Amino acid sequence: MTSERAKAFILPLVLLGALEIWARVVHLQSDSLAPPSAILQALGQALADGSILAATRDTLFAAFVGLVVGGVIGLILGIAFGIFETLDRLMEVTVEAIRPIPSVALLPIALIALGFGYRMEIAIVAFACVWPMLILSRAAVRDIEPRLMEVARVLRLSPGQSVRSIVIPAALPRIFVAGRLAAGIALIVAVTVEIAINPLGLGASIMLAQQALRPDLMLAYLVWIGLLGYALNAVLMAAQRHLFGYAAVVEEPS
Amino acid sequence: MTAAASSTSADLVVPSSAQISFNAVTLDLGGKTIIENLTLNVSPGEFLCIVGASGCGKTTALRLAAGLYQPTSGAVRFDGQQMTHPRREIAIVFQDYGKALLPWRTAAGNIALALEATRVPKAERADRIATLLGKVGLPNHAEKYPGEMSGGMQQRLQIARCLAQEPKALLMDEPFGALDAMTRQGLQDELLALVATNNATVVFVTHDLDEAIYLGDRVIGLLPHPGRIGIELAIDLPRPRDQLVTREHPEFLRLRRMLFDFIKATEH
């Protein structure tokens, strides 16, 4: 496993090395590119003076709150639509009409309604997170083994008991996957909103570095966001394996 | 729907002793008649086996008895009351135990589901679970997940969960069909012992004719397309039954021959 992992690092390292050599050979003077060594230095500096950590905190806060708000709304709707097919049919046109709207296209409205700041960013992140959660949790509920729903009927579980004891646990592994996807989307949308208009967090810092003609710092922020996304996914993947390991054990035989 | 219209005539026919009664039950599903004009009474404590070629509607009949289906016409009653929905005093053991158990709950947790449904106080649950696991021969597997158990153990667990409902009637849909022959025979005897102590009514659907005769007080053979009763045999073999002695009994062999001839005649 370790040697396989190590191999995966070869290509990026070679590319970085080549970029470094090329930048030094041509004495790179650019508003958009910088040698990897300069990017690394800028990243170290931004970490040292705490500016990147403060920006990270702001972005993650907005992304996280938006994810929770949107995720919970999407989850409740998804479970309800999954259980009650009539409701799903009634809402189909409404959902399919609103869902394709790019979340960032709501910026002008959100800006007028909520102004600059966290609230507007959270609202847009939440909007973006509702859909993957709704669609995937609805599918997860639909795909629950029908036999389990019959067991619920035969035992005469109350609707609340059925949802708590059967629907949510049965759908949970797939709901968690939906949450992981939504978390990635939340980070992307939060940074996008900050780049486009909102003067806080990592996105705004990128714009500031660009306007200050600091490509090294701008690229340092990009590298940092990449690392952040990678770490987020790794943590959620590990949590998923830890939480649902037994489900994998169950599904393997037969 | 049509039940109201037929209920008056139904009252006249149902013997007062019947626990489960089908009165002129017809069921159409998807434009096809699955069961036609089925009249059938099961007495309390009786062990009734239903056999028939595949597609003869034996599973459907069981689901009607469980209240999972509603008849198109006629009435299904339990203790004289019309079955408009499933009832906790009727437990059903599904053939596909792997799908009927909650894979994310341990054996104890799966039994607890039935106790939660019947709102047994938390303090009493542990004792009840231990007793039930002991009854089905899984005393040391309380903390195992279904995925860690063999097919036979999983089916035992499902039976334990059904017993946790404290049912008056146990409906079993080919419960041992997916198990190997040795496990099946062991479970047959355990089931007979359990039923003898609980005095529950059992309706047992199987395609294994030997199994039906071995277990039952009465065996009904269904004819397919649409499902209706083709043969009815009273099984007067002595109890307790024994895998060797009972199966070599001349009466067992006579009944077996009759049932085989019946099934053969329906298959062409």
Side-chain angles (χ1 to χ4, degrees):
Chain A
M1 163 213 151
T2 40
S3 74
E4 285 296 310
R5 279 249 172 110
K7 275 182 200 161
F9 283 100
I10 292 174
L11 182 66
L13 285 177
V14 167
L15 286 177
L16 283 175
L19 189 61
E20 181 74 37
I21 292 164
W22 172 75
R24 283 179 191 232
V25 168
V26 302
H27 295 287
L28 179 68
Q29 291 287 330
S30 167
D31 291 342
S32 60
L33 282 179
S37 57
I39 297 172
L40 212 61
Q41 205 183 354
L43 184 60
Q45 215 167 15
L47 279 171
D49 68 21
S51 59
I52 203 168
L53 295 178
T56 305
R57 185 199 59 211
D58 292 349
T59 297
L60 286 185
F61 174 75
F64 180 75
V65 177
L67 171 66
V68 169
V69 172
V72 168
I73 293 172
L75 183 63
I76 292 170
L77 290 178
I79 290 176
F81 290 6
I83 294 175
F84 305 109
E85 277 189 45
T86 328
L87 181 66
D88 188 39
R89 273 198 299 277
L90 281 175
M91 294 299 291
E92 191 184 348
V93 173
T94 314
V95 167
E96 291 308 314
I98 301 176
R99 190 166 69 93
I101 299 174
S103 50
V104 183
L106 295 178
L107 265 178
I109 303 173
L111 200 58
I112 292 171
L114 302 169
F116 292 105
Y118 286 120
R119 285 200 306 162
M120 173 264 277
E121 189 170 323
I122 287 168
I124 290 174
V125 170
F127 176 83
C129 290
V130 164
W131 311 111
M133 217 51 193
L134 190 162
I135 306 283
L136 291 173
S137 56
R138 179 178 64 187
V141 170
R142 285 270 168 79
D143 286 352
I144 291 176
E145 173 56 49
R147 190 66 85 217
L148 287 180
M149 300 315 292
E150 278 181 2
V151 168
R153 278 181 69 196
V154 171
L155 288 173
R156 306 217 66 201
L157 297 181
S158 69
Q161 276 178 323
S162 293
V163 170
R164 263 199 321 279
S165 302
I166 302 215
V167 173
I168 290 184
L172 203 56
R174 291 182 64 187
I175 289 173
F176 195 89
V177 172
R180 227 181 71 215
L181 288 174
I185 291 172
L187 186 63
I188 291 169
V189 171
V191 172
T192 308
V193 170
E194 288 160 3
I195 286 181
I197 206 156
N198 210 20
L200 58 83
L202 294 166
S205 301
I206 292 176
M207 293 310 286
L208 218 62
Q210 181 223 30
Q211 281 153 16
L213 302 180
R214 288 276 312 276
D216 54 337
L217 185 60
M218 182 180 80
L219 291 169
Y221 273 106
L222 282 189
V223 170
W224 180 250
I225 292 172
L227 290 174
L228 216 56
Y230 184 86
L232 185 69
N233 193 51
V235 167
L236 291 174
M237 285 285 271
Q240 188 179 334
R241 266 197 301 275
H242 178 73
L243 288 172
F244 305 115
Y246 63 83
V249 172
V250 169
E251 278 159 24
E252 239 173 288
S254 86
Chain B
M1 299 157 276
T2 53
S6 62
S7 66
T8 45
S9 61
D11 288 332
L12 302 173
V13 191
V14 181
S16 57
S17 66
Q19 183 161 59
I20 301 169
S21 76
F22 282 59
N23 187 32
V25 168
T26 296
L27 179 73
D28 300 333
L29 278 180
K32 263 179 73 181
T33 303
I34 311 292
I35 299 259
E36 190 169 57
N37 201 23
L38 180 68
T39 296
L40 173 66
N41 293 300
V42 190
S43 317
E46 185 180 2
F47 200 124
L48 172 74
C49 294
I50 302 178
V51 297
S54 30
C56 71
K58 47 192 194 297
T59 293
T60 310
L62 203 68
R63 295 173 66 86
L64 279 161
L68 287 168
Y69 287 152
Q70 288 302 310
T72 310
S73 68
V76 178
R77 282 160 204 276
F78 184 82
D79 281 344
Q81 286 174 295
Q82 192 149 340
M83 291 288 295
T84 51
H85 50 71
R87 308 160 64 110
R88 280 202 206 101
E89 58 219 303
I90 307 174
I92 180 162
V93 177
F94 295 103
Q95 177 182 12
D96 41 9
Y97 42 80
K99 293 178 177 174
L101 295 169
L102 314 185
W104 59 88
R105 284 198 185 198
T106 59
N110 267 282
I111 296 177
L113 182 73
L115 301 178
E116 288 159 23
T118 49
R119 306 206 182 277
V120 172
K122 265 206 175 111
E124 291 172 30
R125 285 183 202 163
D127 276 355
R128 293 271 300 270
I129 290 169
T131 313
L132 286 161
L133 283 171
K135 264 191 188 172
V136 296
L138 298 172
N140 301 318
H141 299 86
E143 295 312 313
K144 279 204 175 137
Y145 288 99
E148 302 170 314
M149 303 167 97
S150 68
M153 289 161 77
Q154 289 185 43
Q155 192 57 292
R156 283 192 175 98
L157 177 56
Q158 197 193 172
I159 291 170
R161 186 174 69 195
C162 286
L163 294 177
Q165 290 173 245
E166 301 193 320
K168 287 187 186 166
L170 201 53
L171 310 177
M172 309 184 85
D173 185 11
E174 302 192 30
F176 310 143
L179 303 172
D180 64 86
M182 287 306 290
T183 310
R184 193 183 313 159
Q185 293 199 348
L187 278 170
Q188 286 167 356
D189 290 335
E190 285 173 35
L191 175 65
L192 287 179
L194 275 176
V195 169
T197 53
N198 285 33
N199 206 28
T201 311
V202 181
V203 180
F204 191 103
V205 164
T206 179
H207 59 256
D208 181 342
L209 307 184
D210 291 35
E211 182 173 67
I213 300 166
Y214 181 74
L215 294 173
D217 295 318
R218 184 159 56 120
V219 176
I220 281 173
L222 293 185
L223 289 165
H225 314 299
R228 65 226 124 96
I229 294 176
I231 192 172
E232 185 169 350
L233 298 172
I235 312 294
D236 282 325
L237 291 163
R239 287 186 189 270
R241 306 231 166 125
D242 179 275
Q243 291 289 353
L244 293 175
V245 178
T246 303
R247 286 173 192 269
E248 286 166 357
H249 201 287
E251 175 69 359
F252 184 93
L253 299 174
R254 188 184 70 84
L255 292 163
R256 186 171 184 269
R257 164 53 65 107
M258 283 177 73
L259 214 48
F260 266 88
D261 286 345
F262 162 75
I263 292 291
K264 210 159 203 185
T266 67
E267 280 176 345
H268 50 219

